[in-house]
Structure formats: structure tokens, C-alpha cells
Amino acid sequence: MADDADVIVIGAGLAGLVAATEIAGAGKRVIVLDQEGEQSIGGQAFWSFGGLFLVDSPEQRRLGIKDSADLALQDWMGTAGFDREEDYWPRKWAEAYVAFAAGEKRDWLRAMGHRIFPVVGWAERGGYDAMGHGNSVPRFHVTWGTGPGIVEPFERRAREAAKSGRLIFKFRHRVDALSVTNGVVDGVSGVILEPSSVERGKSSSRNVVGDFSCRAPAVIVASGGIGGNHDLVRQNWPKRLGEPPKFMISGVPEHVDGRMIGITEAAGGRLINRDRMWHYVEGIRNWNPIWPRHGIRILPGPSSLWFDATGKRLPAPLFPGSDTLGQLHYIMGTGYDYSWFILTQSIIKKEFALSGSEQNPDLTGKSWRMTIKRATNKGAPAPVEAFKQHGADFIVRDNLAELVGAMNKLAGNDLLQLDAIKTQIEARDREITNPYVKDAQVMNLHNARRYIGDKLIRTAKPHRILDPEHGPLIAVKLNILTRKTLGGFETDLDSRVFGRDHQIIRGLYAAGEAAGFGGGGVHGYRSLEGTFLGGCLFSGRNAGRAAAKAVN
């Protein structure tokens, strides 16, 4: 049979689009397959906040942030904690990615029309020693336009390639098998699903109306992770994080099911680090859901007091925005799968943002007028206020006794004791009047406000939680929110997949989350944030360029 294309790309998410546009840009023919409809082009990247990890950027320098490739690599390695034989290629990818983020990444994107919001965020701040987890400086660059803004340049390039005939989209084509001939991957087969016009993110029909097969000398798997498949998340849950949560909510749509990972593994691909994953602990149930069990992550500033299910403050340095997996490990060690924020109206107004393009209409819509209101409004941003009013996990009261009573009612138990909660809050409040303190979280507030970006839009002026002038009091029940797969198919720097015999499988490539964002786990055990979209960009680009070169 004649080849249908030079390369087949499985998945029309960000990594797949980047790979496909690199292939088409090299003058090759590429077919892009996706089980969802055309309305879902861009995959999970579309729903994202659009954060990108950049090093020593003009945006950082304008804000007085002194960054370097050496400091970023130190932070990455301290965060990743590579300690396995399988970490050889993930480590190589980490070194290459940090060099990319400190080098051509920004200019490469900018040449395609990508733009960045000027205030750089400070995610995953750590709080351990200089060689431990966390970003030493702010590096979280928000795309102007959020997720859709990062997808747009590649969707535009893909549609231009489609008009020229170099790229063919085949939506509603679900791959069920890879074709392997004499050890070489040379095509795919699967079924055609009935057309679906459901809204992006909604669960689509799985009714089969036909079958298909395609041949090509190279196949790139860019099918995403497992976050929408809670059974698979629990199956791979690492023992180091305790028992898997009984209750979880989903940060990704239902079709992020991990099917293609199993199919590629069955064809011989070597899957490594499957127990490494990235789930958030500040998840709230969406009052206006799009997909099943739809959850949203709070992007908190550093001021909210964080209590476990029994009413104890989380220990230092597990403050909001410090160490996501450290917090997850602690919370699961309590025997419960939820925790609490207690805060004030002054804090929610300045410090709460919600992850997701649909939760940030100002940034997504590229409206400077709306964005400026974040800093000048009397209330919190409208999406946050909507959650405060309608969200099942939000409680608003004028006094602490009523707040704690309502928290117990929402949790369906009597674990929280008013006197214990009050004692801890009052102790913290006594620390707030001095610029020098022993409460590590209050120290963290003072440190945050030394950075102009945090002082302007992300950190409230320190105040007593029980000061009625800053009320009302607010409690938020925080759930475990599934999100990213950090392990994946082991690949070399050309995104070629290794087999179980540790030899390259000819014709097979992997990119994005399916490759652990590169190498089978470029993040190691933890992420510095802003690194997931960038991992899709970098691994997709490498895969596309290598595949195009290989089929010359």
C-alpha cells in the first residue's frame, strides 16, 4: 500500500499542532487524527491559564528580577529530584528545555504573534533550601489571551497548511492500534465516531459509524495524559503520597482518558515513571460545569490560612503557592482528602485567581480595561465573586463561630473545633503588626510584597484575619483536582520512543503529556509550573522536526 502521508500525528492538542506545523513547514505531508470534533482543536491548552516558564526574559528584567539559566537549572534539578536509572533521558530533556526557555523560546513564539502579560507570576515558591524545590524568582509568564492565545498561532499555521494540502485533519477518528511491520511502526487503524457538535469540553458520543487505517513512515503520539480517567489515576497513584483520594474532581475533560498510552504500550513503547503525577490540592467544584466532575483550581496568593480537615494549620513551608505535591502528601497523610482555606474579603479581592481561560475573561479577551479592574475593583474579579456566591465549596459569614459551624455542616462532621481554630488565627494575627516575626507564613507575606508584581496585584496588605474591617470571613473547602501525567514514554531528544528492549522503535515518536512532556518525565517528581505548555511546545517541535527529517 502507498503511504497516505509522510507523518501521522495522533492528537490535535498543543503538542500535536506544534509537531504537525513543523512537519508541514518542512514541506512534508501530515495527517492529524483526533477522536474529538474540530471544535476541540487545541486540547487542554485551550482551557489553560496560558502560563509559560521563561528565564531572564525582558518582562523579568523590567520588574527587577535577576534570573539566569544556571539559577533556573538549579531550581529545576532541585525540584525534579531525579533519582532513578530511568531518569537519564528526562534529565537530558530538562537541561535542553531550560536552555530553550532561557534562549529562543520567547522570540520563536513572538515571531508568530504570541504576546505576554507584563506582570510575571511567582508560582511554586518552595521554602526549603536553595537547592530544594521551587522557583527562586518569579518565572510564570501569562500569555496575553491565556490558553486560546497560545493555541492560536499553531492553529492558524495548521489551517494554512491544510489549505495548501500539506496537512489533513481527520477529526472523530479514534486510533485503536498502531501498525507494526518488522519492528517498524508504519501506520494506525481505528474507528470513525459519529459527528458531534457538542460544546468544547462536553462529553461526546462514542457511537461508531465506520473504520479507517492510515499508513506513514512516521507516527507521532501526542494524545495527552490520564487526568480524566480517575480509575487510571488511582491505579497509578504513588504509595509515597498515601492512599488515593476517595473523592476527586477533574481539571480536564472526560476524553483525557489515557487510551492511547495503553495502545502505544501494547505496541512495544516503554512507559516509565507512571507513578509520577501532578494533581492540585486547591480544587473547587465548578458551579457551572462543562465536563463531568468539572473542577477549577484556585491560584492563591500567600495570605490565606490553610487548615487540614481536623483544623490544624499546614506546617511550614506548605503555604498557598509553595509546594503543590508537598501539600498533597501532607493532606493525604491526615486520613482525609480535603482541606480548608480561611480568609477575608480583602484577601479574596486581591489574591484569588482561578485557573482556566474561561475563568479569566479579561486576559483571555485581551481587554486592558477589564484587566486593570482587577487592581481597582471593590470586589474580587467577577468569576471569583460568582464562585463565592454560587460555589458549593464557599462559605461566607460575619463571625468565626458561624463560619466554623457552617464548615462542619458542609463537611458532614464535627472535626473542626471553634476554640482551636480561633486560637491559631489569633496567634497569627498577633504577629501581623511587626515587620519582623517568627510566623513563617507572615515572613512569606513580607517577602512577597518586596516583589512589585505581587505587591500590585497578588498579595493583600497584611492584616488581621479577625479584623471586621476586612470582612466578611470566607472559608473554602479544597478538593483534590486531577490534572497532569508527569511520566510517559521514554524518548531521546528527537522524541523517538524507546521499546521495552531499550532500543529505539523505528517510526514511532511521542510528544507532550504522552511523553511526560519529554523523555518520559522531564519534570521528575515535581513541577516548577508554567512548564506544561512549554513542554508541549518543546517536545512537539522536536518531534515534528525530527520526523520530517527522518522521512526525507
Side-chain angles (χ1 to χ4, degrees):
M1 292 179 62
D3 291 330
D4 297 292
D6 295 306
V7 186
I8 295 167
V9 175
I10 304 170
L14 182 60
L17 287 178
V18 174
T21 53
E22 289 292 328
I23 294 161
K28 305 301 179 181
R29 297 171 299 122
V30 58
I31 293 173
V32 180
L33 306 169
D34 199 290
Q35 66 179 349
E36 297 306 305
E38 186 172 5
Q39 66 272 32
S40 291
I41 193 170
Q44 307 325 302
F46 178 91
W47 297 106
S48 74
F49 198 41
L52 293 173
F53 179 91
L54 295 173
V55 179
D56 192 26
S57 69
E59 289 76 19
Q60 288 175 301
R61 294 195 292 271
R62 289 189 201 107
L63 294 167
I65 300 165
K66 297 179 181 179
D67 200 5
S68 68
D70 286 343
L71 181 61
L73 188 61
Q74 172 181 300
D75 287 346
W76 193 292
M77 294 303 180
T79 293
F82 295 126
D83 61 358
R84 297 173 176 174
E85 183 180 344
E86 293 88 351
D87 285 332
Y88 175 82
W89 283 109
R91 187 187 294 271
K92 291 289 187 184
W93 272 88
E95 293 168 349
Y97 178 69
V98 170
F100 176 63
E104 63 179 308
K105 179 180 178 182
R106 183 182 181 277
D107 290 343
W108 176 63
L109 289 169
R110 190 172 180 82
M112 288 183 271
H114 177 270
R115 295 295 182 267
I116 293 168
F117 183 65
V119 179
V120 183
W122 197 353
E124 291 294 300
R125 305 180 188 208
Y128 307 94
D129 63 33
M131 295 179 65
H133 168 68
N135 285 293
S136 298
V137 297
R139 296 192 180 103
F140 191 85
H141 296 68
V142 177
T143 297
W144 186 234
T146 67
I150 194 71
V151 171
E152 189 279 331
F154 300 99
E155 180 180 354
R156 172 170 34 84
R157 289 177 62 194
R159 294 196 184 280
E160 289 171 355
K163 288 180 182 177
S164 72
R166 294 193 306 276
L167 185 152
I168 299 173
F169 282 115
K170 289 183 178 290
F171 295 104
R172 302 296 284 164
H173 282 60
R174 186 184 73 194
V175 175
D176 291 333
L178 298 177
S179 171
V180 183
T181 304
N182 297 325
V184 179
V185 173
D186 58 5
V188 302
S189 60
V191 298
I192 302 170
L193 304 176
E194 69 178 357
S196 175
S197 60
V198 299
E199 179 185 351
R200 177 192 289 267
K202 294 278 189 182
S203 299
S204 60
S205 164
R206 289 295 179 260
N207 291 335
V208 175
V209 296
D211 53 32
F212 76 96
S213 64
C214 297
R215 287 179 56 87
V219 175
I220 299 174
V221 177
S223 56
I226 67 173
N229 185 337
H230 288 195
D231 290 339
L232 202 50
V233 169
R234 290 190 174 97
Q235 179 182 321
N236 291 327
W237 191 267
K239 291 183 179 180
R240 64 182 175 276
L241 294 180
E243 293 296 316
K246 294 182 176 63
F247 177 76
M248 295 186 288
I249 53 180
S250 291
V252 294
E254 191 175 37
H255 64 253
V256 186
D257 54 16
R259 282 186 74 257
M260 198 62 222
I261 293 176
I263 291 166
T264 306
E265 189 176 20
R270 184 171 186 242
L271 187 65
I272 61 173
N273 298 319
R274 70 180 77 217
D275 64 326
R276 292 179 181 170
M277 50 186 67
W278 188 256
H279 306 305
Y280 292 109
V281 288
E282 312 101 325
I284 50 177
R285 291 170 285 176
N286 196 341
W287 65 273
N288 187 24
I290 297 173
W291 53 78
R293 301 175 291 196
H294 188 177
I296 296 292
R297 184 205 175 193
I298 296 171
L299 301 173
S303 299
S304 298
L305 289 187
W306 203 334
F307 295 88
D308 66 26
T310 70
K312 296 177 182 177
R313 273 182 78 183
L314 268 63
L318 303 182
F319 312 126
S322 64
D323 179 1
T324 293
L325 288 198
Q327 292 148 356
L328 178 59
H329 181 260
Y330 175 86
I331 289 166
M332 295 312 301
T334 67
Y336 299 91
D337 54 14
Y338 67 92
S339 59
W340 297 97
F341 277 166
I342 292 181
L343 59 148
T344 65
Q345 178 63 28
S346 294
I347 292 173
I348 200 173
K349 170 185 177 296
K350 192 150 188 179
E351 296 195 5
F352 267 36
L354 301 172
S355 182
S357 54
E358 82 282 12
Q359 300 297 330
N360 295 275
D362 51 350
L363 296 169
T364 302
K366 302 181 181 180
S367 169
W368 281 111
R369 182 179 179 185
M370 290 177 65
T371 303
I372 290 170
K373 286 184 177 180
R374 284 187 180 231
T376 60
N377 270 1
K378 291 183 179 180
V384 176
E385 286 290 342
F387 266 91
K388 196 179 82 172
Q389 180 179 352
H390 303 295
D393 296 309
F394 281 73
I395 300 167
V396 183
R397 296 291 188 273
D398 290 324
N399 63 75
L400 187 62
E402 292 183 5
L403 188 80
V404 173
M407 292 164 71
N408 278 330
K409 183 177 180 180
L410 178 59
N413 54 47
D414 293 313
L415 289 174
L416 303 177
Q417 301 299 312
L418 173 60
D419 288 346
I421 297 288
K422 184 178 180 182
T423 296
Q424 293 174 87
I425 295 177
E426 287 179 338
R428 176 266 187 202
D429 281 357
R430 292 187 189 102
E431 298 272 306
I432 221 66
T433 56
N434 289 308
Y436 36 87
V437 295
K438 72 175 182 181
D439 186 294
Q441 185 173 6
V442 180
M443 291 182 197
N444 200 36
L445 299 185
H446 294 318
N447 188 44
R449 285 178 64 83
R450 292 177 64 189
Y451 167 48
I452 186 64
D454 274 357
K455 188 172 184 178
L456 285 174
I457 63 172
R458 286 294 286 153
T459 306
K461 185 177 181 180
H463 60 273
R464 292 185 295 112
I465 298 294
L466 298 181
D467 184 347
E469 291 188 5
H470 291 274
L473 290 170
I474 302 165
V476 187
K477 186 172 181 281
L478 305 173
N479 308 282
I480 308 302
L481 177 75
T482 65
R483 187 62 67 84
K484 297 297 181 186
T485 310
L486 297 189
F489 290 106
E490 184 179 33
T491 63
D492 67 4
L493 289 176
D494 283 335
S495 295
R496 299 181 300 172
V497 176
F498 287 92
R500 287 187 286 271
D501 60 358
H502 303 278
Q503 300 299 309
I504 293 290
I505 299 176
R506 290 169 56 198
L508 182 61
Y509 302 76
E513 203 168 344
F517 301 90
V522 67
H523 300 93
Y525 288 95
R526 285 179 166 95
S527 166
L528 286 170
E529 287 284 27
T531 56
F532 301 128
L533 293 176
C536 290
L537 296 173
F538 188 54
S539 64
R541 192 176 84 149
N542 282 17
R545 291 182 177 183
K549 184 177 180 180
V551 298
N552 275 331

